Amino acid sequence: MLQPQKSREQSTVNTCLVSGRGSGAPSALERHRQAEHYDGRSDAVDFDEAWNILRSSLHEIHSKNASQLSFEELYRHAYKLVLKKKGELLYQKVKDFEEDWLAQTVQPQVLASISPTILCLETEAATIAATVNEKRADGEKLLRSLKGAWEDHNLCMNMITDVLMYMERVYCKDFRKPSIFTASMGQFRDCVLRSPIQSDHDRRTTIGKLVTAVILYQIHMDREGDIIDKALLKSCVYMLEGLFESEEEDESTRLYLTSFEEDFLLASRAFYSTEGSRLLLDADAGTFCRHARKRADEERDRCRSTLSPLTLPKIKAVIEEELIRRHLGDVIALENSGVRYMLDNDLVDELEMIYDLSARVDSDKVELRKAVQGRIKQLGTDVNHAASNVGMSGVVKQALPKPEITNAETGETEPQVKALDKPVNQQTAAAIQWVDDVLRLKQKYDLVLLQAFQGDQILQTAITRSFSDFINELDRSSEYLSLFFDDHMRKGIKGKTENEVDVLIEQGILLLGYIQDKDMFERYYKKHLSKRLLMKRSISMDAERQMISKMKLAVGNAFTTRIEKMFLDMNTSADLTSSYKQYVNSLGDPDPRRVELDVSVLTSTVWPVETLMTSTKEGESRSACIFPAGIERVKHGFQKFYLGKHSGRQLTWQAKLGTAEVRGFFPECKGQKKTRDLTVSTHGMLILLLFNDMGKDDTITCEEIQARTNIPMNDLFRNLQSLSVAPKTRILRKTPMSKDVKLSDRFSFNESYYNPAQKIKVLLVTSGNQVEGLEERSETERKNDDERQGVIDAALVRIMKQRKELAHQKLIAEVIGQLNTRFSPDIPMVKKRIESLIEREYLERLEKEPASYRYLA
Amino acid sequence: MTIKTSEGMIRVHKDVFCLTSPVIAKAMEGQFVESQEDCFDLSHEDPEIISRFVEFCYLSRYETVERVQQIGFDLSLTKDDDGIVQYIGPTAVQRPNLPILSRSSERGASSRLPPRPSPTARGPDAQESAKKTALILNAARLRLDVSMWAMGDLYDVQHLKSYAVGQLNTRLSALWEQGNSPSLILDIVQPVYECTFSINDDLRIMLVQSLRKFKRAIGREPLLRSRFEALTKSNNELMTDL
């Protein structure tokens, strides 16, 4: 019974609580209601009341007393006004208030901070003498005051905008009004920055213009090396960046861009223009570059730390124009410090700077390119002159600077060559020297290109072209290069590692790439190679093969096929010889006195046989040498054997190219063993064999020897020289003893010849490959031209056969295009070949414009 | 931070409120008295609304009115010819600014809290009473949604606004389905127009659309029609919006 009663009591209490809550409503609420009642009737009074509260609050905010204001209250007031459609009125009132505040409070403060010293900055009239420090201090005062005003304004407007957020969100959006913040920024611009300075009526100077002048002056001081307050400048620039010409706040209408940047760029232009001219007069190229680069970096930093990043590309353009582009040509050409000086003294760092500057202003780097090209051309011409001077004068020039490598090599050369130091040898050395010089030059510029020019494509092409130019200017470049290879193949690569040989070959091939007349090179290379192969002078066949394969890669397949064929001939010859030996053995009848025979059968079209035989003078009989009977027998035997295998071929014996091993008995020789194994040329053997039939002290004249052997005079002289004059191989005695061999000289066998070595190689005096004489040279050129004519003919016919009809110009162009890899054809020569083909009725001229030809089948 | 109400302080998480409302964020993070005292003064606001606002900030929803006791007003009902309880409009008080919930100043004669319908009550009286309770609840719910929308608008809480509109829309649709008292919608016309700025507000759009839907139903009932006409006459914006 008790329980339900209790629960009823409880529910009553609850009800009381609810009603208690209701009756306990504070009287404030009553007032609220009344206020609501009230506003329904009188909007105007209501607005004034709310606005008065808001206005005094705005004033408090500007006076930095905001901490006592309730945001919520102000916000709610603004909210109500806007809901009651009083947004526009509120907006206008706030604007008016701000304008008042700026004009009455802020502007005078800023104006007060202007001192007369800085007034003259803007007008540039130095009427008031003020020290730099004064100007700086006064300028900073103005900037500081303005910065303060701006920051206060910004802060307050942010707060006010926050309070008026509802107005912004609803009213400004609906009526497309600029935010009150934006509007007040415009007011700051108009009321503060654009307000005229009273003391200066006539010139209409405004605070904004003055600020620009002060900033520019400070930057000028910074450039001169003074220390300035960068943070202060930055905040002023930040202010200009935050202000716009119009309330649309379009990016391009920032005050910074419209009223400051242009002046800044103008001032900078003037500054760098004078500085550039002054530097050019005072400083050397290196200093100039360093300075220019430093300036560029400084301006970049300035844009970051003091001004706006927006200016970066523009000020960069100014520096590039005023400081770099305008003077770069002069700097590069500076007499004692320009690019030439840098190149000659390997000033990689400075070259790198020059390159950097050039790349900034000119993607083609015309000036730098010209300078580098000019220097290469000049150096190349010097190298060419050095080489051809030796060639022309033929005088022994000991003073010729030789690189160490060549010196070391000459030390290793055969004694004869050294002993008979003839102008020709000197020339050969000069040829090799030339290649070395060119290679050194090339290496140097490769390094410069890589380190200083960052492997720039344009400069690389330019350098390559310059090299190609001066290399081709020297008409003997292909011969020299081939000689260089020859020298290394015979001597140079001795004792070198595979890698070193590789590098050497590659460098050589690189030069080959520059040479235009590759057919000339091929001719020389074949000539030199054949001597190396036949006389077994190559140090390493591997290296030879490697060379060929590299050449193939660099210049193309067609170029090397004939050279490869030479190697093939050598191989088949070795096979042939061994099968011949088997054949001889199978015949039985081993004759102990029989001569062993090694034969190299050379295909005459592939080998430069005629060049090898050029030492035969015109008019001299070309009849073959007279072999002694024993040799003749073997020769016939082989001929029979060979022709039995390959019918219809003709064998021509080239005694000049052969070598022979002879065992000589020297009765009066010192030591136990009286015999020596001599390796001589075939001609030498023929000469020596003559003495077999003679008595101990019998002599024979040169003339007689010639008559009995029919060796060409030239070869005879050389052989006799090496057998009787060369100090280590005097197997014959010559009377009178002199260097040169004359027809009347008499020779006898030197029975007391002594040489500690058992095997002696008697080298021909001029057996090595050497520079051609002028005569030989023109002969080679003539032959080369003959060959070119054939090649051009072939190309012409090939093209015409395909085209049937073709205009003259096009035909010429195609021929040049086809032949360019081998040589650059001479246009008159091509024309002559066309004429010749017309004569031979391969082509006919067509009677029409433009001049054309038709192919006749 | 704390929120000050007429009934005392509520401690809430500042981050939650600043994230929910940019306006509160500005107030609390600015240099005004709110940030000094870490207190946001809402004492002029209805505590019921505030507690729902707080609820919304944490849960992204608010509880609607469930008990008649929570409602501080009454509706005067009329019976039509068939004896069916009908609500035509607030006959006793012609105040445009109806308090939304809780105590109204004129609580007394006409709006003593209706007793909870006793479970044992039977007959037409009980039915009438139940019907009346439902109507009162519905009216209160509609007003609550409108006030919550106003809160969202004032403090710039977009998702509160859309939530409130959604709630209101569901309720109006339900009322439409039930064919029940289109006069309830007329009740909220005035409050809606007071807290919205233009037809661009989603709340007003929703209201206008619903009014168009209810138009025929309103036209059938002369009392309602005259009330609707009075409303459109006194409210130019409503006229243009319709």
Side-chain angles (χ1 to χ4, degrees):
Chain A
M1 282 302 275
L2 274 171
Q3 293 246 279
Q5 260 187 341
K6 250 186 189 170
S7 76
R8 198 171 299 141
E9 253 178 30
Q10 241 171 356
S11 69
T12 331
V13 172
N14 269 342
T15 325
C16 277
L17 256 178
V18 172
S19 60
R21 241 162 116 202
S23 61
S27 55
L29 253 172
E30 287 304 300
R31 266 193 272 123
H32 192 63
R33 295 265 159 266
Q34 277 168 5
E36 275 180 14
H37 229 56
Y38 191 65
D39 64 41
R41 272 171 263 156
S42 165
D43 277 355
V45 178
D46 199 51
F47 177 83
D48 286 344
E49 192 184 313
W51 168 242
N52 279 333
I53 297 170
L54 278 173
R55 196 190 52 197
S56 63
S57 303
L58 294 189
H59 195 273
E60 291 294 298
I61 288 174
H62 275 298
S63 315
K64 297 180 184 165
N65 288 329
S67 57
Q68 294 314 307
L69 300 171
S70 163
F71 177 90
E72 208 280 334
E73 188 192 338
L74 298 178
Y75 179 79
R76 192 173 285 258
H77 279 300
Y79 165 75
K80 282 190 181 142
L81 289 181
V82 172
L83 266 191
K84 284 186 193 126
K85 309 281 186 274
K86 300 283 185 228
E88 194 176 351
L89 196 59
L90 176 64
Y91 185 84
Q92 198 51 49
K93 288 262 184 192
V94 173
K95 259 180 90 171
D96 291 350
F97 175 84
E98 288 304 327
E99 192 159 339
D100 251 31
W101 175 262
L102 286 169
Q104 303 307 321
T105 320
V106 180
Q107 189 198 343
Q109 274 172 13
V110 176
L111 281 176
S113 68
I114 297 175
S115 47
T117 42
I118 54 170
L119 268 177
C120 66
L121 273 181
E122 207 272 331
T123 56
E124 284 166 28
T127 43
I128 303 167
T131 66
V132 172
N133 270 336
E134 273 170 5
K135 280 191 205 167
R136 191 223 318 259
D138 289 342
E140 284 183 3
K141 199 170 117 196
L142 170 66
L143 293 187
R144 233 172 239 126
S145 132
L146 193 67
K147 177 192 165 200
W150 161 254
E151 281 170 357
D152 286 350
H153 184 69
N154 233 325
L155 186 75
C156 295
M157 284 323 295
N158 266 317
M159 291 170 78
I160 291 168
T161 311
D162 286 350
V163 167
L164 300 176
M165 224 158 85
Y166 193 82
M167 179 181 84
E168 297 268 307
R169 186 153 56 83
V170 177
Y171 168 74
C172 292
K173 214 169 99 191
D174 272 21
F175 289 82
R176 299 226 165 80
K177 287 267 185 184
S179 149
I180 192 73
F181 186 82
T182 313
S184 76
M185 290 297 124
Q187 287 173 322
F188 187 86
R189 173 195 65 214
D190 294 338
C191 297
V192 180
L193 289 185
R194 299 234 165 117
S195 69
I197 295 163
Q198 269 89 20
S199 64
D200 189 79
H201 297 290
D202 45 337
R203 292 205 197 85
R204 300 176 58 82
T205 301
T206 61
I207 295 179
K209 280 185 185 164
L210 205 56
V211 166
T212 304
V214 168
I215 295 178
L216 289 182
Y217 182 72
Q218 301 258 336
I219 287 173
H220 183 78
M221 281 171 44
D222 188 28
R223 282 185 182 141
E224 296 286 355
D226 278 334
I227 293 164
I228 58 162
D229 186 350
K230 288 186 179 167
L232 179 62
L233 288 195
K234 179 74 193 171
S235 48
C236 286
V237 165
Y238 188 68
M239 169 186 80
L240 292 177
E241 270 193 288
L243 292 173
F244 295 81
E245 283 290 336
S246 65
E247 283 166 353
E248 274 85 57
E249 306 214 330
D250 188 26
E251 275 302 311
S252 61
T253 61
R254 290 178 186 279
L255 281 194
Y256 175 78
L257 296 177
T258 55
S259 72
F260 174 76
E261 194 178 53
E262 202 175 325
D263 290 342
F264 169 69
L265 292 177
L266 271 175
S268 305
R269 194 172 287 273
F271 178 82
Y272 284 119
S273 170
T274 34
E275 184 173 80
S277 321
R278 201 186 60 230
L279 262 180
L280 197 61
L281 286 180
D282 299 348
D284 60 25
T287 317
F288 186 96
C289 294
R290 251 188 295 278
H291 192 79
R293 191 136 88 166
K294 195 182 106 213
R295 283 300 194 197
D297 288 348
E298 265 177 25
E299 289 302 333
R300 197 191 55 221
D301 289 346
R302 176 165 299 118
C303 284
R304 285 195 193 130
S305 68
T306 316
L307 301 177
S308 156
L310 292 173
T311 310
L312 186 57
K314 296 169 198 163
I315 186 70
K316 211 175 131 208
V318 167
I319 287 207
E320 279 166 5
E321 176 62 36
E322 293 299 328
L323 202 54
I324 304 174
R325 186 175 292 129
R326 186 161 296 177
H327 301 298
L328 190 65
D330 295 337
V331 169
I332 285 174
L334 270 181
E335 197 62 43
N336 282 319
S337 61
V339 165
R340 185 183 156 171
Y341 176 84
M342 294 176 190
L343 286 173
D344 290 353
N345 292 289
D346 292 319
L347 301 176
V348 176
D349 288 348
E350 302 200 350
L351 281 170
E352 205 253 315
M353 283 191 292
I354 283 269
Y355 169 76
D356 181 53
L357 297 184
S358 304
R360 275 170 200 256
V361 296
D362 178 11
S363 58
D364 285 343
K365 299 132 202 143
V366 178
E367 300 283 351
L368 179 60
R369 203 176 65 201
K370 271 191 202 153
V372 173
Q373 272 184 317
R375 190 60 193 144
I376 293 177
K377 259 294 196 36
Q378 212 171 343
L379 289 172
T381 315
D382 288 351
V383 172
N384 284 353
H385 273 307
S388 41
N389 272 345
V390 174
M392 291 305 121
S393 63
V395 177
V396 181
K397 279 187 185 167
Q398 294 300 345
L400 196 80
K402 286 186 177 183
E404 277 173 36
I405 309 161
T406 323
N407 274 337
E409 280 165 8
T410 42
E412 283 173 24
T413 50
E414 288 79 2
Q416 292 92 330
V417 179
K418 218 176 183 183
L420 304 170
D421 212 349
K422 280 177 143 187
V424 183
N425 287 328
Q426 200 65 49
Q427 269 174 270
T428 312
I432 294 164
Q433 173 74 39
W434 177 82
V435 177
D436 276 332
D437 286 348
V438 174
L439 280 181
R440 240 171 325 120
L441 206 58
K442 170 79 184 148
Q443 248 167 354
K444 175 180 168 154
Y445 279 90
D446 278 349
L447 211 65
V448 167
L449 179 69
L450 199 71
Q451 292 181 344
F453 301 157
Q454 296 161 20
D456 185 88
Q457 203 67 44
I458 291 165
L459 286 169
Q460 188 179 22
T461 327
I463 290 176
T464 305
R465 189 170 307 135
S466 323
F467 269 95
S468 166
D469 281 356
F470 85 77
I471 287 173
N472 286 303
E473 228 163 61
L474 185 75
D475 49 9
R476 290 196 165 197
S477 48
S478 19
E479 185 185 358
Y480 285 0
L481 181 60
S482 178
L483 275 174
F484 170 81
F485 282 137
D486 184 59
D487 186 64
H488 280 288
M489 282 304 172
R490 284 192 296 121
K491 305 172 250 172
I493 59 172
K494 204 184 267 173
K496 284 190 176 162
T497 64
E498 229 169 86
N499 275 349
E500 284 170 327
V501 175
D502 253 18
V503 171
L504 196 84
I505 293 176
E506 239 156 57
Q507 285 180 332
I509 302 268
L510 207 71
L511 288 196
L512 176 59
Y514 292 136
I515 287 176
Q516 268 169 6
D517 296 339
K518 298 206 171 56
D519 57 341
M520 270 302 232
F521 174 79
E522 186 190 342
R523 186 170 287 272
Y524 282 113
Y525 192 78
K526 268 160 69 178
K527 181 182 158 192
H528 297 150
L529 174 68
S530 61
K531 278 197 180 171
R532 288 206 294 279
L533 290 176
L534 292 176
M535 304 199 174
K536 308 217 167 17
R537 287 293 185 71
S538 273
I539 289 172
S540 147
M541 285 311 273
D542 277 350
E544 291 278 6
R545 281 201 199 89
Q546 208 181 347
M547 170 88 88
I548 299 302
S549 63
K550 290 226 163 113
M551 236 182 248
K552 199 190 247 173
L553 276 179
V555 210
N557 227 346
F559 184 76
T560 50
T561 41
R562 281 194 280 182
I563 298 176
E564 279 174 338
K565 198 77 191 299
M566 288 168 74
F567 282 95
L568 195 70
D569 271 358
M570 290 310 285
N571 287 339
T572 48
S573 296
D575 293 346
L576 193 63
T577 305
S578 68
S579 67
Y580 173 64
K581 275 180 185 153
Q582 273 176 4
Y583 164 74
V584 170
N585 287 338
S586 71
L587 282 182
D589 178 30
D591 181 355
R593 289 181 56 86
R594 197 182 165 82
V595 180
E596 295 273 337
L597 182 68
D598 271 337
V599 186
S600 301
V601 181
L602 315 178
T603 317
S604 59
T605 48
V606 175
W607 292 68
V609 180
E610 74 276 22
T611 30
L612 294 173
M613 298 306 290
T614 44
S615 48
T616 340
K617 290 226 171 78
E618 290 292 325
E620 217 174 18
S621 70
R622 282 176 180 262
S623 54
C625 309
I626 300 165
F627 291 95
I631 310 290
E632 193 68 23
R633 213 172 36 244
V634 178
K635 200 178 119 186
H636 272 298
F638 177 78
Q639 213 152 346
K640 221 173 102 196
F641 166 76
Y642 183 79
L643 293 178
K645 285 187 116 176
H646 310 273
S647 59
R649 292 195 184 175
Q650 200 192 339
L651 284 178
T652 313
W653 295 82
Q654 303 287 0
K656 190 198 169 192
L657 306 174
T659 53
E661 280 177 23
V662 196
R663 176 160 298 168
F665 177 70
F666 302 96
E668 286 166 35
C669 184
K670 284 187 281 180
Q672 290 286 308
K673 221 171 171 195
K674 305 288 186 193
T675 56
R676 292 289 184 274
D677 292 334
L678 306 174
T679 306
V680 295
S681 69
T682 310
H683 284 150
M685 175 193 74
L686 292 180
I687 296 165
L688 287 178
L689 285 179
L690 288 179
F691 290 89
N692 269 354
D693 306 335
M694 297 202 305
K696 193 183 166 204
D697 290 317
D698 288 352
T699 57
I700 186 166
T701 62
C702 176
E703 207 168 4
E704 282 170 318
I705 295 174
Q706 207 278 327
R708 289 174 62 175
T709 57
N710 203 16
I711 299 173
M713 273 328 272
N714 214 341
D715 293 335
L716 182 62
F717 283 150
R718 291 197 301 153
N719 275 294
L720 285 174
Q721 235 174 0
S722 56
L723 286 170
S724 61
V725 181
K728 291 199 177 171
T729 55
R730 284 189 190 158
I731 296 151
L732 299 180
R733 283 205 188 91
K734 176 166 119 46
T735 36
M737 190 57 213
S738 64
K739 254 194 168 180
D740 294 324
V741 176
K742 293 190 191 71
L743 275 177
S744 56
D745 285 349
R746 305 190 71 81
F747 295 90
S748 63
F749 189 63
N750 179 9
E751 295 190 328
S752 58
Y753 173 74
Y754 172 75
N755 193 319
Q758 176 63 28
K759 283 197 168 180
I760 301 153
K761 213 170 182 185
V762 181
L763 292 163
L764 269 187
V765 174
T766 48
S767 67
N769 287 317
Q770 290 183 327
V771 172
E772 292 177 329
L774 284 178
E775 217 172 294
E776 272 181 291
R777 168 77 192 171
S778 55
E779 180 73 6
T780 314
E781 267 171 14
R782 193 180 55 73
K783 281 182 184 152
N784 202 46
D785 278 352
D786 284 352
E787 199 183 290
R788 281 186 186 182
Q789 288 182 354
V791 175
I792 295 172
D793 276 355
L796 283 170
V797 171
R798 213 164 36 236
I799 294 164
M800 289 308 290
K801 198 169 180 175
Q802 190 189 1
R803 301 298 181 91
K804 302 299 179 213
E805 265 186 45
L806 203 63
H808 175 77
Q809 289 304 331
K810 280 187 181 168
L811 180 59
I812 300 265
E814 278 209 37
V815 168
I816 291 175
Q818 280 203 1
L819 299 180
N820 231 347
T821 50
R822 279 179 68 77
F823 59 92
S824 48
D826 196 27
I827 306 264
M829 192 194 269
V830 178
K831 281 184 181 158
K832 244 185 230 163
R833 294 327 297 162
I834 295 175
E835 292 297 329
S836 154
L837 285 173
I838 290 170
E839 268 171 36
R840 284 181 281 164
E841 298 191 330
Y842 279 99
L843 306 177
E844 70 173 351
R845 227 186 275 279
L846 293 176
E847 298 296 325
K848 64 174 186 183
E849 283 299 317
S852 313
Y853 306 104
R854 174 186 294 149
Y855 180 70
L856 298 174
Chain B
M1 63 180 267
T2 48
I3 288 178
K4 192 173 168 190
T5 70
S6 54
E7 292 178 345
M9 304 293 223
I10 308 174
R11 283 199 69 77
V12 294
H13 294 89
K14 187 165 164 179
D15 283 352
V16 173
F17 276 72
C18 290
L19 275 174
T20 311
S21 159
V23 176
I24 296 179
K26 291 283 185 201
M28 300 314 293
E29 288 154 13
Q31 295 175 17
F32 295 92
V33 74
E34 279 89 347
S35 66
Q36 313 275 315
E37 294 171 5
D38 201 28
C39 173
F40 197 69
D41 189 348
L42 283 174
S43 49
H44 46 80
E45 198 64 78
D46 184 342
E48 290 279 353
I49 298 290
I50 295 172
S51 71
R52 283 188 169 76
F53 183 67
V54 171
E55 183 189 356
F56 186 82
C57 287
Y58 282 100
L59 303 174
S60 288
R61 63 174 175 76
Y62 56 82
E63 214 174 82
T64 188
V65 194
E66 294 298 347
R67 291 183 298 130
V68 183
Q69 281 86 342
Q70 288 174 308
I71 305 166
F73 63 91
D74 198 2
L75 303 170
S76 57
L77 304 178
T78 50
K79 277 189 200 173
D80 65 7
D81 305 338
D82 306 327
I84 294 168
V85 180
Q86 278 282 0
Y87 170 57
I88 302 301
T91 43
V93 204
Q94 277 299 338
R95 270 175 32 95
N97 258 2
L98 275 171
I100 290 141
L101 284 179
S102 111
R103 315 130 287 265
S104 61
S105 49
E106 65 272 42
R107 179 175 48 82
S110 70
S111 57
R112 174 159 306 279
L113 281 177
R116 196 190 291 181
S118 92
T120 49
R122 294 249 186 269
D125 264 4
Q127 258 184 10
E128 201 173 295
S129 166
K131 186 132 196 178
K132 183 176 179 182
T133 310
L135 271 170
I136 289 177
L137 271 174
N138 273 331
R141 283 169 183 164
L142 293 182
R143 286 180 199 194
L144 174 72
D145 290 332
V146 173
S147 326
M148 287 313 286
W149 188 91
M151 271 307 260
D153 185 48
L154 175 57
Y155 296 116
D156 197 11
V157 187
Q158 277 307 324
H159 62 297
L160 174 56
K161 284 162 81 175
S162 37
Y163 180 82
V165 168
Q167 292 283 318
L168 196 64
N169 198 15
T170 333
R171 278 185 228 301
L172 286 176
S173 304
L175 284 179
W176 174 250
E177 305 268 304
Q178 292 158 17
N180 218 340
S181 295
S183 61
L184 283 179
I185 192 174
L186 293 184
D187 269 0
I188 59 166
V189 167
Q190 197 59 22
V192 165
Y193 270 83
E194 267 170 25
C195 70
T196 56
F197 182 76
S198 72
I199 188 65
N200 294 332
D201 287 319
D202 49 1
L203 179 68
R204 205 187 278 194
I205 294 170
M206 207 277 295
L207 176 78
V208 170
Q209 279 168 356
S210 305
L211 277 175
R212 288 203 188 106
K213 208 158 80 173
F214 280 93
K215 211 166 173 182
R216 192 177 284 172
I218 293 170
R220 273 202 297 268
E221 181 62 56
L223 260 171
L224 279 177
R225 189 164 57 208
S226 66
R227 206 176 142 216
F228 181 68
E229 276 161 7
L231 267 175
T232 47
K233 215 172 273 175
S234 69
N235 193 332
N236 284 331
E237 283 187 79
L238 176 62
M239 279 268 265
T240 23
D241 291 346
L242 277 169

